[in-house]
């Protein structure tokens, strides 16, 4: 099934696909953002593909991919907290050419197959072309990826925040955004209004990230 | 005085017909909707981010809380995604149990939807009828998992435990006499499967009852026929799935087309609508309840005949039996490792989708080889549905917006995640 699809992908855009892979029976292709719109249009309209539905779009932040938080070589003699190493954002950021990606999941109801398309955003301007003219329903999915990751979609008519609060600052699903957040809000009796302050709680890791 | 052409109306977030915390800014021309701008995210809990900081199994409970009226279906997608990445398959009996509970969940969801939709449109009685029939199914949830809603029952590699042989019974209390007590416990004498069998026997007639109240009801039809019409082409474009797509006449059901677990062995029909309006979607969902009932009956028959394991035997993924831990060192170590560190999932990515009562519910799971997901994306059907709100509501009256919200079967737990 996926093999067949892979052959068709080879046939139609041999030079445009940067990377392709079948894993657990699912085909993933990677394209450059400059080719995204033409590839997507072919995927929707060509009789070999007929992906009439865009099921999902999501952002991915590759900043700490493959990093773990647990060193057992010297530290295991000295207790849990000392064995734990925090994730290293700074050196990861230095080589952040391929940090943010957008992943599209397409479904063809007519031919009953699926494909996953990945495109990396430009690290300078965070831009990816919007596919809203190809699949209209992507509107909110792109807004979500913008809200949570700060990826900008070129040509989107209404790129507003969607899930976070009105007036929220930052992009919370980036790997370097702390899980406890940056601001906390409370009602101040004296000022008789809500005030925002830096968070007072500390981030705790109960189960360290381990790669074995 | 200048004439006001358009004005904006704020609908929700505290509105009984908003099904939770939907806030909508409606631009109106008189009573006609010109533009609807839903503001979602008031229930955003960052489930996906939270899942990134805990081992795989600890997020199953979060899945229940996404779409909190079809709990086990959410778990189903998550568990299937993990199983796909690990390359394991649940034992046959577990697959049948999962399918049975997925269908019980579908009935639970559709009953909730029917009751709430009825209430929104003015049919108060439906609400009471539907909640009456939800009760035995909630009891089945409780008997199998210990909780009525947030079950955390599905696990990677199977289900948490086998179906119980006895049903909990009502106890004596000052408010019930012996005769009433006997009546209440009459269908609870056997196992859970007997109890469910008894439910399926009478459920079809319950659905007849709902239909006799609504299907030909003049007011019901006036409120639903021709409202929120979606053509199949637009449904594809807008990313609609599930009953929202089938209501427009597209016979697409993942249980049939891309079967998972034991669905390939089930015999059932996929109802489709013709006009793509709210009324057709109502008919589709009502028929789905009957079909779910059929599937449950098939599962019960199979499960009664085929005992067996309900969890894989690999203790790197599934915890060992409590009794084994008492005198087997290795079991104890496995248990300790599983509950402190969890299991590491091989590097890779996968997308697992199930036919959720509301549409296609998918989990995109990405692992970098660690004991926690690197990225988890929840594809919630309601999110795509409510984003079509503007197109569906345009040109309709304010009161129809309530019918459209109802027909989308919106639950904010999954939309806001």
């Amino acid at each position: 099934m996926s093999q067949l699809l892979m052959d068709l992908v080879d046939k139609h855009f041999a030079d445009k696909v940067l990377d392709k892979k079948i894993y657990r029976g699912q085909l993933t292709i990677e394209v450059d953002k400059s080719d995204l719109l033409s590839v997507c249009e072919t995927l929707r309209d060509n009789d070999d593909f007929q992906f009439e539905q865009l099921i999902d779009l999501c952002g991915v932040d590759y900043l700490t991919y493959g990093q773990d938080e647990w060193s057992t070589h010297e530290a295991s003699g000295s207790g849990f907290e000392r064995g734990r190493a925090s994730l290293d954002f700074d050196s990861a950021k230095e080589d952040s050419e391929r940090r943010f990606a957008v992943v599209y999941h397409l479904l063809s109801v007519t031919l009953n197959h699926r494909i996953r398309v990945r495109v990396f955003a430009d690290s300078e301007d965070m831009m990816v072309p919007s596919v809203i003219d190809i699949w209209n329903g992507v509107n909110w999915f792109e807004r979500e990826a913008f809200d949570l990751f700060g990826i900008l979609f070129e040509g989107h008519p209404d790129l507003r925040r969607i899930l976070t609060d009105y007036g929220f600052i930052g992009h919370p699903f980036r790997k370097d955004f702390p899980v406890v957040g940056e601001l906390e809000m409370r009602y101040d009796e004296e000022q008789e209004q809500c005030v925002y302050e830096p968070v007072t709680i500390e981030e705790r890791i109960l189960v360290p990230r381990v790669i074995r | 005085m200048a004439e006001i052409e358009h004005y904006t109306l704020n609908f929700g977030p505290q509105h009984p017909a908003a099904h939770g915390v939907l806030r909508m800014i409606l631009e109106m021309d008189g009573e006609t909707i010109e533009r609807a701008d839903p503001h979602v995210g008031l229930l955003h809990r960052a489930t996906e981010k939270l899942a990134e900081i805990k081992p795989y199994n600890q997020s199953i409970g979060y899945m229940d809380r996404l779409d909190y009226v079809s709990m086990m279906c959410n778990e189903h997608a998550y568990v299937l995604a993990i199983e796909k990445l690990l390359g394991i398959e649940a034992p046959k009996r577990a697959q049948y149990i999962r399918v049975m509970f997925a269908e019980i969940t579908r009935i639970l969801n559709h009953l909730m939807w029917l009751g709430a939709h009825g209430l929104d449109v003015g049919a108060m009685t439906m609400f009471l009828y539907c909640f009456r029939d939800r009760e035995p199914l909630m009891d089945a949830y409780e008997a199998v998992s210990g909780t009525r809603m947030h079950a955390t029952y599905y696990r990677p590699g199977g289900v948490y435990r086998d179906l119980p042989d006895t049903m909990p019974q009502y106890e004596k209390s000052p408010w019930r006499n012996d005769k009433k007590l006997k009546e209440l416990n009459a269908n609870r004498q056997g196992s859970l499967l007997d109890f469910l069998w008894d439910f399926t026997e009478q459920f079809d007639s319950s659905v007849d009852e709902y239909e006799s109240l609504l299907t030909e009801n003049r007011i019901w039809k006036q409120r639903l026929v021709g409202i929120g019409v979606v053509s199949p082409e637009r449904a594809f474009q807008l990313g609609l799935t599930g009953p929202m797509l089938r209501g427009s006449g597209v016979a697409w059901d993942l249980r049939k087309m891309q079967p998972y677990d034991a669905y390939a062995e089930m015999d059932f029909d996929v109802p489709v609508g013709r006009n793509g309006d709210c009324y057709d979607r109502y008919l589709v969902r009502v028929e789905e309840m009957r079909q779910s009932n059929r599937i449950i009956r098939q599962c019960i028959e199979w499960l009664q005949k085929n005992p067996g394991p309900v969890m894989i035997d690999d203790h790197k993924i599934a915890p060992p039996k409590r009794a084994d831990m008492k005198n087997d060192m290795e079991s104890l170590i496995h248990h300790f490792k599983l509950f402190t560190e969890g299991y590491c999932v091989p590097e890779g990515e996968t997308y697992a989708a199930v036919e959720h009562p509301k549409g296609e519910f998918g989990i995109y799971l990405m692992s970098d080889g660690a004991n926690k997901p690197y990225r988890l994306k929840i594809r919630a059907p309601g999110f795509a549905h409510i984003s079509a709100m503007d197109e569906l509501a345009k040109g309709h009256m304010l009161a129809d917006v309530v019918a459209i919200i109802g027909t989308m079967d919106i639950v904010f737990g999954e939309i806001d995640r």
Side-chain angles (χ1 to χ4, degrees), chain A:
Chain A
M1 189 79 183
S2 298
Q3 189 58 47
L4 197 77
L5 198 59
M6 187 138 120
D7 296 340
L8 288 170
V9 166
D10 280 338
K11 189 180 134 199
H12 286 281
F13 358 82
D15 50 334
K16 288 181 180 163
V17 173
L18 304 176
D19 186 25
K20 58 183 191 295
K21 196 172 168 190
I22 295 179
Y23 184 71
R24 304 279 188 224
Q26 298 179 352
L27 174 64
T28 312
I29 60 170
E30 190 194 318
V31 295
D32 190 72
K33 70 189 193 97
S34 58
D35 293 327
L36 180 71
L37 289 183
S38 67
V39 168
C40 282
E41 220 158 294
T42 318
L43 285 175
R44 186 192 65 179
D45 294 333
N46 194 290
D47 284 344
D48 285 343
F49 299 116
Q50 297 193 47
F51 287 106
E52 60 271 89
Q53 216 166 15
L54 184 134
I55 282 293
D56 187 36
L57 177 150
C58 73
V60 180
D61 179 2
Y62 279 94
L63 185 66
T64 60
Y65 194 84
Q67 277 193 39
D68 61 4
E69 295 167 322
W70 186 240
S71 55
T72 44
H73 306 297
E74 294 146 33
S76 48
S78 50
F80 175 77
E81 267 306 304
R82 270 167 261 177
R84 198 174 68 67
S86 29
L87 295 171
D88 181 8
F89 298 125
D90 295 331
S91 67
K93 267 181 198 160
E94 278 171 20
D95 111 88
S96 59
E97 253 323 279
R98 286 158 65 84
R99 180 174 171 190
F100 291 103
V102 181
V103 179
Y104 305 79
H105 284 93
L106 309 181
L107 167 71
S108 166
V109 166
T110 325
L111 300 175
N112 192 10
H113 56 198
R114 291 175 190 274
I115 196 171
R116 183 181 304 126
V117 181
R118 191 194 330 271
V119 54
F120 277 88
D122 199 272
S123 55
E124 293 281 296
D125 58 4
M126 300 289 289
M127 286 275 206
V128 166
S130 167
V131 294
I132 195 160
D133 290 329
I134 303 172
W135 295 285
N136 300 159
V138 78
N139 187 333
W140 279 28
F141 288 97
E142 287 184 347
R143 275 177 69 186
E144 185 193 319
F146 159 69
D147 188 0
L148 302 180
F149 290 94
I151 299 166
L152 298 168
F153 292 89
E154 203 174 355
H156 191 286
D158 185 22
L159 204 60
R160 280 178 293 156
R161 285 187 176 274
I162 184 163
L163 289 178
T164 51
D165 199 3
Y166 302 111
F168 189 88
I169 297 167
H171 300 288
F173 275 34
R174 291 185 174 185
K175 288 283 176 181
D176 51 351
F177 191 95
V179 176
V180 293
E182 278 164 347
L183 290 176
E184 64 185 23
M185 188 188 73
R186 66 178 173 86
Y187 179 75
D188 190 277
E189 294 264 330
E190 282 169 20
Q191 296 178 46
E192 292 185 336
Q193 64 176 11
C194 292
V195 289
Y196 289 84
E197 289 158 345
V199 279
T200 50
I201 43 173
E202 260 177 53
E203 195 165 349
R204 277 193 309 170
I205 290 172
L206 299 178
V207 182
R209 194 177 178 81
V210 186
I211 297 181
R212 289 190 202 283

